[in-house]
Amino acid sequence: MVGKFYGIGVGPGDPELITVKAVNILKNIDVVVCPEGKKDTESIAFNIAKDYLSDDMQTLKLHFPMTYNENTLNEKWKENAQIIADVLRSGKNIAFLTLGDPSVYSTYMYLLPFLRERDIDIETIPGITSFCASASRVNIPLASGDETLCILPLRRGLDGLDEILDNFDNIVIMKPSHDNKKLADKINERKLNDNFVMISKCSNNEEEISHSVGRLRDQQVPYLSTVIIKKGGIR
Amino acid sequence: MVGKFYGIGVGPGDPELITVKAVNILKNIDVVVCPEGKKDTESIAFNIAKDYLSDDMQTLKLHFPMTYNENTLNEKWKENAQIIADVLRSGKNIAFLTLGDPSVYSTYMYLLPFLRERDIDIETIPGITSFCASASRVNIPLASGDETLCILPLRRGLDGLDEILDNFDNIVIMKPSHDNKKLADKINERKLNDNFVMISKCSNNEEEISHSVGRLRDQQVPYLSTVIIKKGGIR
């Protein structure tokens, strides 16, 4: 029998913030994809999941190049999809682990079109996003009633952020370390100092919660941070 | 010892789409709040959680009026917070269950300011949102790379939707049944027919997935539906 391919969201960091469904599937996974050449979010995902995996689980190292060249990427995705298809044909189930949720800015989703071309049986298991975990951690709503919520990764130069700050009630900024100094200045400029919180490494041992613009301006803002801005107030 | 108050996200419908953390807490819950006079999302939440609760768990019926009058609401929240505080003081742990995630459009968050005034020990446990579960169900990303994501409840008259459709890559529309005919017309008008999916009752027995504008226009769109629009294409 041909195996099945699972994309599994393992949540933000605390191994308990994974779903019962993910745990039940992980028990029966034969092979876990370990992407190489990427930021280490996938190895963090592996550490979250490892106690749920069976002892005889194997890893499949796949090279995912750090490039924006689309042709190079497509070639590599195709090659990796073929390797995955071959392992599935040998009857093994494969998991691709994703920090947070697979539908929110994950590498996993780039791979899917190449797997679909090969008629692979795919199931995606949702996970707790960093922004939901962060809001829960400080007991605040991301959005209430008729309010809108905007989620965006921080772009260098804060492209488009002013318009979003004008028009939205609640804004989640992912990857603030991309340009945290400019973001801190913008929060100052727009007098939002009492309207934001930054949560880094949410729900793991090194978690940090800060309401300080000075901290946000700091060089050492971790990659795994989330900024929540609530124009109606945060505390 | 005084008890603790938990807000627990139970996910979108499938009892397996709850976190391990929520399951571990539910085992030790003495009292579950059962809001009355509200839409039945809370009773759906109770059904999702019930197999994880202990046999001697009790329910606490609280009346939450269906009104937009702020004074009436505040009075009622205050009264309910006092009832909760009294039960906690008797040493019992209380859970307030939320369908999906507690930080995303939940009644639970309205209650929190009134609990905080009473120095109550509060912990919020995040849950799988309907939009993450829906995207996983059809194996599509909500957002990738540098893309933006906007989440909003459908307002009558589609207030502000055109501007959002102009400016965002991905749009999640919650509660489309509020004005589903107009939303269907808008999707037609903007030629987004191949760029959306509606998922109703995601992950439960009556789940329905539709790419049809005709279906969206229908009178029978369930309250628990999510529309995902991806301007870059959905399939």
Side-chain angles (χ1 to χ4, degrees):
Chain A
M1 222 174 81
V2 177
K4 191 165 172 180
F5 187 80
Y6 294 92
I8 301 180
V10 300
D14 179 346
E16 277 201 309
L17 286 181
I18 193 171
T19 64
V20 172
K21 188 162 203 139
V23 169
N24 288 339
I25 291 169
L26 286 171
K27 277 181 215 159
N28 297 309
I29 287 297
D30 305 299
V31 176
V32 175
V33 173
C34 288
E36 295 194 311
K38 292 266 310 162
K39 287 212 184 60
D40 61 354
T41 51
E42 274 85 5
S43 69
I44 299 172
F46 185 81
N47 280 328
I48 294 170
K50 68 178 188 300
D51 287 345
Y52 301 117
L53 288 158
S54 78
D55 292 339
D56 54 356
M57 170 277 310
Q58 294 172 303
T59 57
L60 175 64
K61 289 185 182 166
L62 293 179
H63 187 64
F64 288 32
M66 285 291 275
T67 170
Y68 292 102
N69 180 306
E70 212 168 314
N71 287 337
T72 313
L73 278 174
N74 282 350
E75 272 313 301
K76 206 64 199 178
W77 292 128
K78 240 182 227 175
E79 207 178 286
N80 284 332
Q82 190 54 52
I83 296 170
I84 287 169
D86 291 341
V87 174
L88 293 169
R89 241 192 313 273
S90 76
K92 291 179 171 159
N93 292 323
I94 303 184
F96 190 111
L97 307 178
T98 296
L99 193 62
D101 176 72
S103 72
V104 177
Y105 303 108
S106 79
T107 306
Y108 164 73
M109 284 291 174
Y110 287 104
L111 187 60
L112 283 198
F114 300 94
L115 296 176
R116 270 199 215 99
E117 283 173 7
R118 284 165 183 78
D119 261 336
I120 287 171
D121 188 9
I122 297 166
E123 186 172 353
T124 309
I125 309 300
I128 301 291
T129 62
S130 62
F131 50 86
C132 286
S134 295
S136 276
R137 200 61 193 81
V138 290
N139 298 315
I140 58 168
L142 285 170
S144 303
D146 259 1
E147 292 177 358
T148 49
L149 170 62
C150 172
I151 292 155
L152 74 162
L154 193 65
R155 293 165 174 167
R156 286 216 176 275
L158 277 57
D159 182 28
L161 186 58
D162 261 311
E163 214 179 330
I164 286 167
L165 288 171
D166 286 340
N167 293 317
F168 280 82
D169 305 305
N170 306 288
I171 301 108
V172 168
I173 298 176
M174 319 227 353
K175 303 174 189 165
S177 63
H178 278 182
D179 210 345
N180 52 304
K181 281 194 185 60
K182 274 206 186 126
L183 179 59
D185 289 342
K186 179 59 69 186
I187 284 174
N188 254 335
E189 176 198 321
R190 304 216 26 154
K191 301 191 171 49
L192 291 167
N193 305 50
D194 289 333
N195 297 67
F196 89 102
V197 60
M198 175 169 68
I199 298 178
S200 304
K201 302 188 176 179
C202 183
S203 86
N204 95 19
N205 293 339
E206 295 165 352
E207 181 185 80
E208 184 193 335
I209 298 171
S210 173
H211 295 271
S212 151
V213 174
R215 175 69 187 99
L216 175 57
R217 195 192 305 277
D218 199 272
Q219 283 206 330
Q220 306 302 323
V221 166
Y223 178 76
L224 294 180
S225 298
T226 303
V227 169
I228 302 172
I229 299 174
K230 291 182 70 68
K231 277 160 60 188
I234 207 147
R235 280 181 254 197
Chain B
M1 221 175 84
V2 177
K4 190 166 172 180
F5 187 79
Y6 294 94
I8 300 181
V10 300
D14 179 345
E16 277 200 309
L17 287 182
I18 193 170
T19 63
V20 172
K21 188 163 203 136
V23 169
N24 288 339
I25 291 168
L26 287 171
K27 277 181 215 158
N28 297 310
I29 288 296
D30 305 299
V31 175
V32 176
V33 173
C34 288
E36 294 193 313
K38 292 268 309 162
K39 287 213 186 58
D40 61 355
T41 52
E42 275 85 5
S43 69
I44 299 172
F46 184 81
N47 279 327
I48 294 170
K50 68 178 188 300
D51 287 345
Y52 301 117
L53 288 158
S54 78
D55 292 339
D56 53 356
M57 170 276 311
Q58 295 172 302
T59 57
L60 175 64
K61 288 185 184 168
L62 294 179
H63 187 63
F64 288 30
M66 285 290 274
T67 171
Y68 291 102
N69 180 305
E70 212 167 315
N71 287 338
T72 313
L73 278 173
N74 282 349
E75 272 313 301
K76 205 65 198 174
W77 292 128
K78 238 182 231 177
E79 205 179 288
N80 285 331
Q82 190 53 53
I83 296 171
I84 287 169
D86 291 341
V87 175
L88 292 169
R89 240 193 313 273
S90 77
K92 291 178 171 163
N93 292 323
I94 304 184
F96 191 111
L97 307 178
T98 296
L99 193 62
D101 176 72
S103 72
V104 177
Y105 303 108
S106 78
T107 306
Y108 164 73
M109 284 291 173
Y110 288 103
L111 187 60
L112 282 198
F114 300 93
L115 295 176
R116 268 197 218 101
E117 282 173 9
R118 283 164 182 77
D119 260 337
I120 287 171
D121 188 10
I122 297 166
E123 186 173 350
T124 309
I125 309 299
I128 302 290
T129 61
S130 63
F131 50 85
C132 287
S134 295
S136 277
R137 200 59 194 82
V138 290
N139 298 315
I140 58 169
L142 285 170
S144 304
D146 258 1
E147 290 177 0
T148 48
L149 169 63
C150 173
I151 293 155
L152 74 163
L154 193 65
R155 291 164 175 169
R156 285 212 179 276
L158 277 57
D159 181 29
L161 186 58
D162 261 311
E163 214 181 329
I164 285 167
L165 287 171
D166 287 340
N167 293 317
F168 280 82
D169 305 306
N170 307 288
I171 301 107
V172 167
I173 298 175
M174 322 236 339
K175 304 177 187 162
S177 63
H178 278 181
D179 210 345
N180 53 304
K181 281 193 185 61
K182 272 204 187 130
L183 179 59
D185 289 342
K186 180 58 69 185
I187 283 174
N188 253 335
E189 177 199 322
R190 307 224 15 163
K191 301 189 170 51
L192 291 168
N193 305 51
D194 290 332
N195 297 68
F196 89 101
V197 61
M198 175 170 68
I199 299 177
S200 303
K201 301 187 176 181
C202 184
S203 87
N204 95 19
N205 293 339
E206 295 166 351
E207 181 186 80
E208 183 192 336
I209 297 171
S210 173
H211 294 272
S212 151
V213 174
R215 175 68 187 98
L216 174 58
R217 194 191 306 276
D218 199 271
Q219 284 206 330
Q220 305 302 323
V221 166
Y223 178 76
L224 293 179
S225 299
T226 303
V227 168
I228 301 173
I229 299 175
K230 291 183 68 69
K231 276 160 61 189
I234 207 147
R235 282 180 252 201

